[in-house]
Amino acid sequence: MKDSRSLSNAAFALLAVLLLISGWQLIVSITDVPRYILPSPEAVLAALVRYSSLLWSHGLTTGLEVVLGFISGTLLGIATALTLAAWSPVRKLVLPLLLASQTIPIFAIAPILMLWLGYGLASKVVMATLIIYFPIASTCYDGLRQTPTAWTDLGQTLGASNAQQLFRIRFPAALPSLCSGLRMAATAAPIGAVIGEWVGSSHGLGYLMLQANGRMQTDLMFAALFILIVIAVLLYQGVDWLCRWLVPWQSLSEH
Amino acid sequence: MTSTPLGLTVEEASLAYQGTPLFENLSLTLSPSSWCCLLGRSGCGKSSLLRLIAGLDTSKGAKVRLSDHAGNALPAQAFAWMAQQDALFPWLSVIENLLLGDRLQGQSKSSARRAEAIALLETLNLADKAEARPYVLSGGQRQRVALARTLMRPSPIVLMDEPFSAVDAITRYDLHQLATSLLSDRTVLMVTHDPGEALHLSDRILVLSPSGRLAPFDCGGPPKALSLSQRADAEQELITLLGHQ
């Protein structure tokens, strides 16, 4: 039953994509809009084939930035949440700072990151890290704070130490909450990497889009955008799979 | 599995929330290997008293003095705890849930303890569920696993907070039979709101009133030894008593 349901879900997703492409083709056909404003789906497909090696090479760079940023942001976020949950003096000191730091638009500090870290991979990885750090830290911390009393009571009567309570009971109990943060992060990390590339880079899909824009190669821009969507969807699916594996009890109760 | 039977003496139990006392200077004594039920209306503080004894209430207004029935200090890990929700950890299998107490105490995995856990699951008719995760089990099965986990503790005293109130009547009846036989060598203090359950299981019944007074309910002997007709009368008497509080 579960298989047939996921099959029909996939069928609906495919149908939605087909409808979108048909609508797009319809607009192009009816309005006869110039191809440098809106290329037809066919032209974008042709660009995907023609520039495939170029797209592959730039896509790899962006993909690497996204994945590295995702991993480092996740580790940093989890470490922060655990620290906040474990030490109340740190919590009192750091929590207000952390909240205040969220009023700074990440995009606005991108130029500073370029200045400090250069035009290479590092500045983009840091951008992606920064953009997902807070959602991960806050969802994980929320989860750590909201352990059901029944579980902490039991841990206490079983003689668990504070560290055991944190790592063996509260952290696993926080996984469902952390997973919703991870899913959010999966969609936000590509944004961070591309913004980084727009501000200053010599490689990557964001760089390619800027170059194509300058040359009115709108079909190539759309092709690069398509690759970016593929990266984001793959990351999301990977994270979703990871979360189902980590928290099987939650995906079961959803059905 | 357990050490020698141990009774419990509770003295000067007081609990206050934000300066308002819920109860003050309560005391009770449980003789070794006896089953005592604590009854009372909702909100009278019976669960709070049990949590206080279990050491789960560390708030400022919580005070209690505990010793065994002879007045000696209680050993470490004197209490096993079982609550209304099964509180099984979904990230552990059934057998891992049973052995978690050992692991938290830093004991290495021993095949003897594992065999003990398997034997217990067999007694509870759950042998084929040892490797299953708790969330695939029914409510009654989960509560049986929770009972097994409680029994895996070497603690002489078992504190239970309405452990059988979240399951259906038939399952509750089964759990009563199992608990009575498996807990016979332990000292049990159980909170319940069900007079019938209390009469069926206990050697003694204590009633906590909303004004914070603890009084024994006298029915001329251990409640569980009463005949069916005597029990029906006693249940009526208890209901009347609780209804007037």
Side-chain angles (χ1 to χ4, degrees):
Chain A
M1 190 187 127
K2 201 184 154 196
D3 280 348
S4 69
R5 185 181 302 204
S6 59
L7 199 72
S8 79
N9 279 350
F12 274 110
L14 197 69
L15 184 68
V17 172
L18 283 176
L19 280 174
L20 193 73
I21 294 176
S22 321
W24 174 6
Q25 180 64 56
L26 201 67
I27 292 170
V28 172
S29 309
I30 292 172
T31 59
D32 206 16
V33 61
R35 56 176 299 158
Y36 57 85
I37 300 288
L38 182 65
S40 67
E42 202 189 337
V44 173
L45 189 66
L48 274 171
V49 174
R50 185 163 5 115
Y51 300 111
S52 57
S53 65
L54 187 73
L55 286 164
W56 175 252
S57 130
H58 286 278
L60 272 185
T61 304
T62 303
L64 187 66
E65 291 161 1
V66 169
V67 169
L68 287 179
F70 184 82
I71 292 170
S72 72
T74 301
L75 293 179
L76 212 61
I78 292 174
T80 306
L82 286 171
T83 314
L84 290 176
W87 286 298
S88 62
V90 178
R91 179 163 62 239
K92 282 173 194 153
L93 201 71
V94 173
L95 206 55
L97 268 179
L98 199 65
L99 292 171
S101 75
Q102 288 312 297
T103 58
I104 306 169
I106 304 282
F107 306 145
I109 61 170
I112 303 172
L113 289 176
M114 299 305 133
L115 186 68
W116 288 347
L117 301 168
Y119 282 69
L121 196 72
S123 54
K124 284 77 187 173
V125 173
V126 172
M127 270 301 288
T129 303
L130 284 180
I131 213 161
I132 70 159
Y133 167 72
F134 191 73
I136 298 278
S138 66
T139 51
C140 186
Y141 178 57
D142 266 354
L144 288 170
R145 277 195 316 174
Q146 289 165 1
T147 319
T149 328
W151 286 347
T152 48
D153 277 359
L154 191 82
Q156 210 172 327
T157 54
L158 291 177
S161 65
N162 283 342
Q164 283 175 330
Q165 283 269 18
L166 184 62
F167 287 106
R168 306 192 68 140
I169 294 173
R170 290 171 68 195
F171 185 67
L175 284 176
S177 178
L178 172 63
C179 277
S180 62
L182 286 175
R183 290 193 175 95
M184 266 194 270
T187 58
I191 301 175
V194 169
I195 298 280
E197 288 174 354
W198 281 348
V199 172
S201 63
S202 50
H203 217 252
L205 289 173
Y207 168 80
L208 187 65
M209 286 173 84
L210 280 186
Q211 298 300 311
N213 190 30
R215 294 173 195 158
M216 293 280 212
Q217 290 172 308
T218 316
D219 52 350
L220 180 57
M221 278 185 76
F222 272 76
L225 194 61
F226 177 78
I227 301 294
L228 194 64
I229 291 170
V230 170
I231 290 174
V233 168
L234 283 179
L235 183 67
Y236 185 86
Q237 289 298 330
V239 167
D240 194 55
W241 176 85
L242 179 78
C243 286
R244 276 165 201 275
W245 179 76
L246 276 175
V247 197
W249 63 94
Q250 203 195 31
S251 50
L252 200 85
S253 62
E254 276 168 8
H255 289 299
Chain B
M1 190 163 25
T2 44
S3 46
T4 48
L6 201 67
L8 174 69
T9 305
V10 178
E11 293 167 295
E12 296 171 22
S14 302
L15 189 61
Y17 288 119
Q18 291 154 358
T20 315
L22 197 59
F23 48 75
E24 277 178 305
N25 279 325
L26 292 182
S27 54
L28 63 100
T29 308
L30 308 178
S31 50
S33 307
S34 68
W35 190 311
C36 176
C37 277
L38 185 58
L39 270 172
R41 299 288 295 267
S42 314
C44 73
K46 54 191 191 301
S47 292
S48 308
L49 176 59
L50 198 71
R51 288 176 57 86
L52 179 67
I53 296 170
L56 292 171
D57 195 332
T58 51
S59 62
K60 225 168 72 181
K63 285 189 192 69
V64 69
R65 202 147 56 91
L66 300 171
S67 54
D68 70 8
H69 57 289
N72 302 316
L74 289 171
Q77 298 287 303
F79 300 118
W81 174 259
M82 185 173 171
Q84 183 180 356
Q85 300 97 4
D86 53 69
L88 298 172
F89 298 115
W91 54 89
L92 300 175
S93 69
V94 164
I95 189 102
E96 286 167 338
N97 265 289
L98 260 54
L99 295 169
L100 181 67
D102 290 12
R103 303 291 308 281
L104 292 176
Q105 295 298 309
Q107 293 167 20
S108 53
K109 288 182 181 172
S110 97
S111 52
R113 283 291 279 170
R114 199 182 157 82
E116 202 178 307
I118 297 275
L120 195 53
L121 287 175
E122 265 163 24
T123 315
L124 292 166
N125 213 3
L126 287 167
D128 56 330
K129 306 287 189 220
E131 300 302 331
R133 295 282 192 103
Y135 50 85
V136 302
L137 305 180
S138 70
Q141 288 173 329
R142 279 206 298 270
Q143 208 57 9
R144 268 186 283 162
V145 175
L147 179 63
R149 180 182 54 196
T150 312
L151 291 162
M152 283 301 288
R153 302 305 304 141
S155 317
I157 302 164
V158 177
L159 304 175
M160 300 200 281
D161 189 5
E162 305 195 10
F164 311 126
S165 61
V167 292
D168 65 87
I170 308 296
T171 309
R172 190 178 317 141
Y173 179 78
D174 287 343
L175 282 166
H176 282 166
Q177 306 304 312
L178 286 166
T180 321
S181 66
L182 293 167
L183 287 166
S184 59
D185 59 342
R186 317 256 183 145
T187 308
V188 178
L189 180 58
M190 174 172 136
V191 163
T192 176
H193 60 254
D194 180 352
E197 184 177 66
L199 287 161
H200 175 58
L201 292 172
S202 60
D203 299 299
R204 231 173 115 216
I205 291 176
L206 294 171
V207 177
L208 184 62
S209 71
S211 56
R213 282 188 30 248
L214 196 60
F217 173 73
D218 186 15
C219 52
K224 70 179 177 191
L226 295 177
S227 70
L228 276 179
S229 64
Q230 285 172 319
R231 192 183 294 167
D233 292 344
E235 183 168 353
Q236 201 50 54
E237 207 179 318
L238 258 178
I239 290 171
T240 314
L241 176 72
L242 289 167
H244 284 142
Q245 285 185 347

